[in-house]
Amino acid sequence: MVNATVPSPMQVKSNAQAGILKFSSWGFVAFIVIYLLTPIIVTLLMSFSDASALRFPIREWSTKWYGDFFASPQWTDALLNSLMIAVGTTVISTTCGVVAAWAFEKYEFRFKPLLYLLVMLPLFMPGVVLGLGVAMAMGSADILGYQLYGSRLIVMLAHSLWAIPLVFMLMETTFRTVDHRIVEASYDLGGRPFQTFFEIVLPSVSTGIVSSALFAFVISLNEFVMALFLTTRDTQTLPVLMWLSLRSAGTPRLAVASVVLACTVIISLAIIMVWHSRQLRKAQA
C-alpha cells in the first residue's frame, strides 16, 4: 500500500505565496520593460508618419521623412558634426581616463581621496554649468589663428568633462582585476614600464577599454546642453538642431533624427556585448 504524502496547510500556503510572488515579479518586470520601451517605440512609429506635423496616433504611413532627412545638407551636416565630436571626445577621454585610472591604481600619493573626488566632480555637475564655464574660460582663446569658440574642438573638450570621469571610474575598477604578479614578472624579465603597460596591462583590460570608450562615445553623441552653448550654425550637433527645429516646426523629421541617434546607441551597445562575449569565449578556451 502506497502512502501518499499530503501537504500540510502551511506548505500549501507557502507554495501559494511563492506562486503569487513569482507572478508579481514577472508582472513588475514586464511593466518596467514596457515603460522603458514605449517612448522608443512611439518615436520609431512617428518616423513613418505621412503627416506634416508630429501627431499620434498615425493616420497614414510613409518613409518620405527618411528621404527628407538624408537629402537635407543641414541635417546630415549636423549628424556628421555629432559623430566627429563624439569620436574626438572618445579619443580624448579614453586616453586621459585610462592613464589616470592606472596611476590611481598603481601608485600611492598624498591627497589621493581628494584628487579622486576632484576627478569625479564634473560628472555630477549640470551641463549648463560646465557649458557656460567652458564658454567663458575658452571662448576667447585663439590657437595659431584658430578660433576655439564655435569649433568642434571646444565641444570635444567640454564633453570630455563628463566622459573622462566616466572612463576613469570604469577603468579604475577594471585595473583592480589585473594580476600585478604578471606586471612584476615583466619588470623582472627586463620589460620597461611603457612596454609592460602597452603589451601586458592594456591587452588584459581591453574589454574595459572598449566598453569605456563606447560609453564616452554615446554620452558625447547625445549631449545637448553644452553643445547648445558652444556650437555655431556650422558646427551645431544633431541634438541642438533637433531642439531648434522643435521650437519652429515639429515635423516627423525630428522622429527620424531620434531614430538615427537611437540606432547609433544600439549599435554601440551591441559592439560592447559582442566584444565582451568574444573575450569570455577566449578566456574559457
Side-chain angles (χ1 to χ4, degrees):
M1 183 175 180
V2 178
N3 294 325
T5 303
V6 179
S8 65
M10 184 65 69
Q11 289 176 324
V12 173
K13 183 178 180 180
S14 177
N15 292 336
Q17 290 178 346
I20 293 173
L21 180 61
K22 181 179 180 179
F23 179 79
S24 300
S25 300
W26 279 109
F28 181 74
V29 171
F31 170 77
I32 293 298
V33 171
I34 293 172
Y35 173 73
L36 294 175
L37 293 182
T38 295
I40 301 174
I41 295 174
V42 171
T43 301
L44 176 63
L45 295 177
M46 283 299 305
S47 68
F48 292 100
S49 174
D50 190 55
S52 58
L54 290 170
R55 183 173 56 211
F56 195 81
I58 299 171
R59 298 177 182 176
E60 295 184 14
W61 301 85
S62 174
T63 58
K64 71 175 186 179
W65 290 108
Y66 280 89
D68 180 84
F69 177 89
F70 289 105
S72 171
Q74 183 182 20
W75 287 87
T76 53
D77 287 348
L79 175 60
L80 180 61
N81 286 333
S82 291
L83 292 174
M84 293 179 66
I85 289 170
V87 170
T89 301
T90 302
V91 173
I92 295 172
S93 59
T94 303
T95 302
C96 297
V98 168
V99 173
W102 177 244
F104 264 74
E105 172 60 21
K106 184 172 178 57
Y107 303 107
E108 292 294 334
F109 42 84
R110 296 181 61 186
F111 309 115
K112 191 173 182 178
L114 177 61
L115 290 175
Y116 184 92
L117 176 63
L118 294 177
V119 171
M120 296 300 300
L121 185 61
L123 185 62
F124 303 98
M125 287 289 107
V128 63
V129 174
L130 298 178
L132 185 60
V134 171
M136 291 188 298
M138 304 181 184
S140 59
D142 189 289
I143 303 176
L144 300 176
Y146 179 76
Q147 181 63 40
L148 194 58
Y149 181 79
S151 66
R152 297 189 185 98
L153 178 59
I154 195 172
V155 186
M156 295 175 192
L157 296 174
H159 286 181
S160 297
L161 293 175
W162 271 351
I164 288 176
L166 176 63
V167 173
F168 171 80
M169 179 176 61
L170 294 174
M171 289 308 303
E172 197 213 8
T173 303
T174 304
F175 278 133
R176 291 177 184 171
T177 64
V178 174
D179 189 349
H180 288 276
R181 292 175 298 179
I182 300 178
V183 178
E184 296 299 329
S186 175
Y187 291 155
D188 293 340
L189 293 173
R192 291 168 293 182
F194 279 100
Q195 182 182 14
T196 300
F197 180 71
F198 284 104
E199 296 183 7
I200 303 297
V201 177
L202 291 187
S204 66
V205 294
S206 58
T207 300
I209 294 175
V210 172
S211 301
S212 301
L214 289 174
F215 278 125
F217 177 84
V218 169
I219 284 181
S220 176
L221 187 69
N222 296 322
E223 202 284 322
F224 160 70
V225 177
M226 287 188 277
L228 182 63
F229 277 90
L230 301 171
T231 56
T232 63
R233 182 177 179 83
D234 294 330
T235 59
Q236 63 187 1
T237 61
L238 190 55
V240 171
L241 181 57
M242 290 171 63
W243 183 78
L244 296 174
S245 299
L246 181 62
R247 296 184 62 191
S248 57
T251 65
R253 188 192 295 115
L254 292 171
V256 174
S258 300
V259 170
V260 171
L261 287 176
C263 287
T264 307
V265 172
I266 291 172
I267 291 172
S268 300
L269 295 177
I271 292 174
I272 294 176
M273 294 177 64
V274 170
W275 183 277
H276 183 64
S277 298
R278 290 182 60 184
Q279 296 301 113
L280 284 179
R281 286 197 296 268
K282 287 182 180 179
Q284 294 173 356

